[in-house]
Amino acid sequence: MKFPTYFISHGGGPWPYMDDLRHAMRALEMSLRDIPRQIGVTPKAVLMISGHWEDEVFSVMASPQPTMVYDYYGFPAHTYSVIYPAPGAPALASRVRALIGAAGLPARLDVERGFDHGTFAPLAVMYPDADVPVIQLSLQARLDPAQHLELGSALSSLRDKGVLIIGSGLSYHNLRCFGPPARAPSQAFDGWLQDTLIRSSPADRLARLIDWGKAPAARLAHPRGDHLLPLMVAVGAATTEAGHCIYHEDNIFGGVTASSFRFGSAANE
């Protein structure tokens, strides 16, 4: 079975561990909980590309038991002691590094990196028993979209081997423009995403993603692009396959339009 790939909007901070935020993000939670149903079987491992990890080269988490990275601020004390105890997958990490290197891209293993909230927050909803091995893969710090599409292509063969590839970011990420002021730019950029990912041909989709900075409200929606680049990896690993919107909400974070996408068919389709 060839798994689809995903780009998910992962929500705010450690939201699954806070009752009020979890209630506010109910629609997001339901979309994440539905992903295991969509793929139909338990994956052998999850490969997560998080918008919260950048490195000079593509770095692959290689610890057999990853630690935690509490990369958020101002949340309740208990959220700085939560543990998502999923095992790592060192053999898969070595395979990922080899695939990236074979594509002519620089890569290294990192035995110290732990799970950041771009990984553990959504996975706490998707696989709450933490019984699926997980590795993270960093972004490359230059945030070049073409290079991240190439990265996805290099990893595509893993989809036939029981590895679920997920790009974890946010379809809108401007921490200085949340709430009501975010309504117009997030809607404009989301409309471009829907058109690009669902209604464009595969070739046009790639071209539009490479030039994403020309999209409506692009730099208001993503001043840096770190939370968008995981999308490029998900698309690059499923270049010719159809995009599907699996989550869409018009008023998250007080005014933000946000979406998540699947590339490829669900098991039950």
Side-chain angles (χ1 to χ4, degrees):
M1 174 186 177
K2 176 181 285 189
F3 283 156
T5 68
Y6 290 85
F7 170 69
I8 59 171
S9 289
H10 62 226
W15 64 271
Y17 301 91
M18 301 169 61
D19 290 343
D20 55 344
L21 278 184
R22 193 157 189 166
H23 177 75
M25 298 188 183
R26 180 64 173 168
L28 176 60
E29 176 173 359
M30 295 304 293
S31 73
L32 293 171
R33 289 174 63 180
D34 194 54
I35 291 175
R37 181 199 64 80
Q38 292 175 27
I39 65 173
V41 298
T42 301
K44 293 180 180 178
V46 173
L47 172 58
M48 187 76 81
I49 302 92
S50 170
H52 289 274
W53 186 18
E54 301 173 30
D55 209 338
E56 289 304 308
V57 301
F58 292 116
S59 296
V60 190
M61 175 187 288
S63 170
Q65 194 61 62
T67 57
M68 302 290 288
V69 177
Y70 304 113
D71 55 340
Y72 40 79
Y73 306 93
F75 287 90
H78 77 272
T79 64
Y80 297 90
S81 59
V82 299
I83 301 293
Y84 186 74
L92 175 60
S94 294
R95 177 62 178 154
V96 168
R97 182 183 65 171
L99 288 171
I100 298 171
L105 300 171
R108 71 179 185 93
L109 297 178
D110 188 322
V111 297
E112 297 181 355
R113 177 71 184 192
F115 297 137
D116 61 53
H117 78 270
T119 291
F120 73 75
L123 288 179
V125 175
M126 292 172 57
Y127 296 107
D129 293 334
D131 53 356
V132 178
V134 178
I135 64 172
Q136 277 191 228
L137 172 59
S138 78
L139 301 173
Q140 201 281 332
R142 288 192 297 275
L143 301 178
D144 176 63
Q147 189 177 53
H148 288 79
L149 287 162
E150 291 176 19
L151 171 66
S153 179
L155 301 174
S156 182
S157 63
L158 297 174
R159 299 171 55 203
D160 294 308
K161 297 175 173 60
V163 178
L164 179 61
I165 299 173
I166 301 176
S168 177
L170 281 168
S171 61
Y172 174 91
H173 190 255
N174 184 343
L175 297 180
R176 295 186 176 183
C177 186
F178 265 45
R183 192 175 308 278
S186 65
Q187 287 180 348
F189 189 74
D190 190 85
W192 179 86
L193 277 179
Q194 301 287 339
D195 189 51
T196 297
L197 301 178
I198 298 174
R199 293 181 284 274
S200 297
S201 69
D204 285 346
R205 182 169 68 183
L206 292 177
R208 288 165 68 105
L209 289 176
I210 288 172
D211 286 333
W212 73 267
K214 298 177 182 178
R219 288 299 178 180
L220 283 174
H222 292 281
R224 290 194 66 246
D226 48 297
H227 275 58
L228 185 67
L229 267 291
L231 167 66
M232 312 306 174
V233 186
V235 171
T239 304
T240 63
E241 294 175 62
H244 309 264
C245 184
I246 62 165
Y247 160 74
H248 179 81
E249 192 167 3
D250 288 322
N251 198 36
I252 195 170
F253 304 123
V256 170
T257 295
S259 297
S260 299
F261 299 89
R262 184 185 76 237
F263 304 97
S265 299
N268 56 355
E269 292 182 348

